[in-house]
Amino acid sequence: SLSVGDNPITVVVTAQDGAPKTYTVTVTRAASSNADLSGLSLSSGTLSPAFASGTTNYTASVANGVTSITVTPTVADSNATVTVNGSAVTSGTASGAISLSVGDNPITVVVTAQDGTAKTYTVTVTRAASSNADISGLTLSAGTLSPAFASGTISYTASVANSVYQTTVTASVFEANATIKINGVDTISGQPSGFIGLDVGSNTVVVAVRAQDGVTTKTYEITINRATPSRGSSSSSDDVSNDEGTIDNVGDTEITNDGEKTVATVTVDETKLEEQLNRVGNNVKVIIPVNGSSDVVVGHLTGTSLKKMEDKDAVLEIKTDRVTYTIPASQINIGDVSARIGDQVELKDIKVSVKISELPADEVKVIQDTANKGRYQIVTKPIELDIQCSSGDKNVEVSKFNTYVERTIAVPEGIDPSKITTGVVVKPDGTFSHVPTTIVNIDGKYYAKINSLTNSTYATIWNPKEFTDVENHWSKEVVNDMGSRLVISGYGDGSYQPGKEITRAEFAAIVVNALGLREASGKIKFSDVSENSWYYEKVGLAYEYGIVSGYNDGTFKPGKKITREEAMAMIAKAMEIAKLDINVKIEEVTEVLGEFSDTSQISGWARNHSAACVKNGVVAGYDGKLAPKDNITRAETAVMVRNVLKKAELI
């Protein structure tokens, strides 16, 4: 939507060396509401050379009531971003990256008037030939294509058991011109990951990699044989498995009223569940569907049922019309629960209750008041997730997990999914903290997928943030994104100070915020971290999760500036929490770090972690250097933590 006056459309192109260049098309809208577009004009149509210094501005003059503008990238490049009036957009309406091929790349700007009349302008960005176009040296070894365009790998997973009906192709390097074909079908071109549906029998998986010159191509094939799953001989109508790998309808639903609340309780039939687990096999998803608009939904299982699910590597999914809570049975850890309740209690006598509930009106008002003060907009109603295990008068709450647990919240009808910035944990006092969130489309409907290491109360917010001093800074898009997600914060004057060096306490706090860590369980043992300090809880969480360890003298040195190699050590441990692979072989460490001219300056204790950061694409260095002894800046910190979340597909 165009405001009266100037409306800038910014195209930010980042070269392979990390150097950004900005091009701007400015559309001016007069106060008149007439739909006449005859006043539109574009001063020029070509930006060339692609990465020359300076900024070229293009002006389109719009008069008489233009109401919308659409930027349509006709190409796609992982290192380029398009923003309209500060908001990231993509082809058609709103999306992410634009990929640039070698040569001319047209970017189309379509201006639409109130009566639907449209006028189109094209800006062409020219990209020089890349030095990484030769892929003749790529080899396939144990599922890895290496090297992949000078750094990183493209790998896939092909482990298939009898009852497994999907496998995953994973590209750990986002090469914009790489294509992945499954059984001859171009399925996930240019995307970092995806799922393959396997037919019974032989399945040929082709990974086709096209170099940046757009011509050179090399393909690799693997064959996956899928056996016919053992389904048993029963033809009874009581067969509740609707699809291979899933079980549902194994419980009875009861609707009751608790005061003004409607409660839907599903009690899982232990015998029926066991029968289906034995029939379907391992890695199954047990779905407890609840239709209708109950205020509270509770799934009841016995400890015995949960143990059988855990033994089968099963996943439990409580599914309502609005919320889906998905948790591996192993994350509830019935063995630990049993030990805490008491070994004298049998598993069959332990009741496991998984609950999804809407909050009462008074609690929602507290949250809304907090949002108003922080100038956030609540997009989806807050919901509370809770797991309780009980036997008699003994009760154990399961609230923390050792891997990210997924919950999805439906985006309400009529709400633009691009107007959701992030999911948040709502604290008891009504304040918010970031939790990794991405928007997904499932069967044509949008959902906010929230990944968290704890149970809590969750909502989604709209919180666009623009720091005043990053407008022309290379980190603008990343810094504003992390600020909008409540991962980083600026100063009272609206600035972020991207070039300012950061302290160890500040860095630890940002990493904790990015991962969505919360609820430290014990006191900090660092002698120089006071309970009255603003960073006490954040440093405590970083210590509890193994991100920081402090110094041999028992101090943390919170006010000390943090070097890039210290930062990479912390980031590598954060990557491990996010389930990114940080294991680097000895020979790989030398190879990966050998790309940088100052590799000899990296301390011995930091080499493995530094290599893991580089290998995963979290850290790239600059000017051929890794600069391990330099103090890291606030902008570099924002980029590092965002890269972790992106690579782990948490945002």
Side-chain angles (χ1 to χ4, degrees), residues 229-242:
S230 174
R231 304 284 293 166
S233 57
S234 172
S235 59
S236 167
S237 61
D238 197 32
D239 183 351
V240 297
S241 178
N242 293 335

Side-chain angles (χ1 to χ4, degrees), residues 49-318:
F51 303 115
S53 60
T55 301
T56 305
N57 294 316
Y58 294 84
T59 302
S61 173
V62 179
N64 303 330
V66 174
T67 59
S68 67
I69 189 163
T70 304
V71 174
T72 307
T74 58
V75 290
D77 183 21
S78 60
N79 287 327
T81 338
V82 172
T83 59
V84 176
N85 291 342
S87 300
V89 299
T90 61
S91 181
T93 50
S95 163
I98 297 180
S99 174
L100 304 181
S101 303
V102 173
D104 291 343
N105 297 267
I107 297 173
T108 303
V109 178
V110 182
V111 180
T112 307
Q114 289 174 329
D115 64 356
T117 308
K119 200 161 187 179
T120 302
Y121 304 97
T122 299
V123 176
T124 299
V125 178
T126 304
R127 176 175 177 180
S130 168
S131 60
N132 293 332
D134 181 14
I135 60 171
S136 60
L138 288 174
T139 58
L140 181 63
S141 173
T144 301
L145 303 179
S146 180
F149 304 101
S151 66
T153 60
I154 297 177
S155 60
Y156 55 80
T157 301
S159 174
V160 181
N162 283 354
S163 62
V164 175
Y165 66 102
Q166 287 188 326
T167 190
T168 307
V169 168
T170 304
S172 57
V173 166
F174 194 156
E175 165 53 41
N177 290 321
T179 341
I180 296 179
K181 294 181 181 292
I182 309 300
N183 294 338
V185 179
D186 188 349
T187 39
I188 41 179
S189 175
Q191 295 301 316
S193 67
F195 288 99
I196 307 171
L198 299 180
D199 298 326
V200 172
S202 178
N203 295 262
T204 300
V205 178
V206 179
V207 179
V209 181
R210 184 171 67 254
Q212 291 173 334
D213 61 5
V215 178
T216 311
T217 305
K218 194 163 186 179
T219 59
Y220 307 92
E221 293 187 7
I222 56 172
T223 299
I224 302 174
N225 289 309
R226 178 183 167 210
T228 303
S230 174
R231 304 284 293 166
S233 57
S234 172
S235 59
S236 167
S237 61
D238 197 32
D239 183 351
V240 297
S241 178
N242 293 335
D243 193 7
E244 296 172 284
T246 63
I247 295 173
D248 62 12
N249 298 324
V250 288
D252 298 318
T253 303
E254 180 184 11
I255 306 296
T256 58
N257 290 315
D258 181 7
E260 297 181 354
K261 292 183 178 180
T262 302
V263 181
T265 304
V266 182
T267 302
V268 173
D269 186 310
E270 185 175 318
T271 302
K272 190 180 291 187
L273 174 61
E274 181 178 5
E275 177 187 335
Q276 296 309 313
L277 286 172
N278 291 336
R279 178 180 296 181
V280 177
N282 293 346
N283 301 302
V284 67
K285 179 181 287 186
V286 178
I287 302 174
I288 300 179
V290 181
N291 298 320
S293 56
S294 299
D295 301 306
V296 180
V297 172
V298 186
H300 284 319
L301 305 87
T302 66
T304 303
S305 292
L306 195 66
K307 182 64 169 65
K308 289 173 180 175
M309 289 178 60
E310 186 175 329
D311 291 342
K312 294 283 188 178
D313 292 325
V315 172
L316 177 64
E317 182 175 285
I318 310 293

Side-chain angles (χ1 to χ4, degrees), residues 170-172 403-404 515 571-584 612-613 615-618 640-650:
T170 304
S172 57
T403 191
Y404 281 97
L515 294 175
I571 285 292
K573 293 167 186 174
M575 289 162 54
E576 191 170 20
I577 294 171
K579 299 305 179 185
L580 291 173
D581 186 6
I582 66 168
N583 294 315
V584 186
C613 289
K615 181 181 177 182
N616 280 278
V618 172
M640 276 192 187
V641 296
R642 187 175 188 254
N643 284 345
V644 171
L645 297 177
K646 285 283 190 182
K647 295 294 181 181
E649 298 181 359
L650 293 174

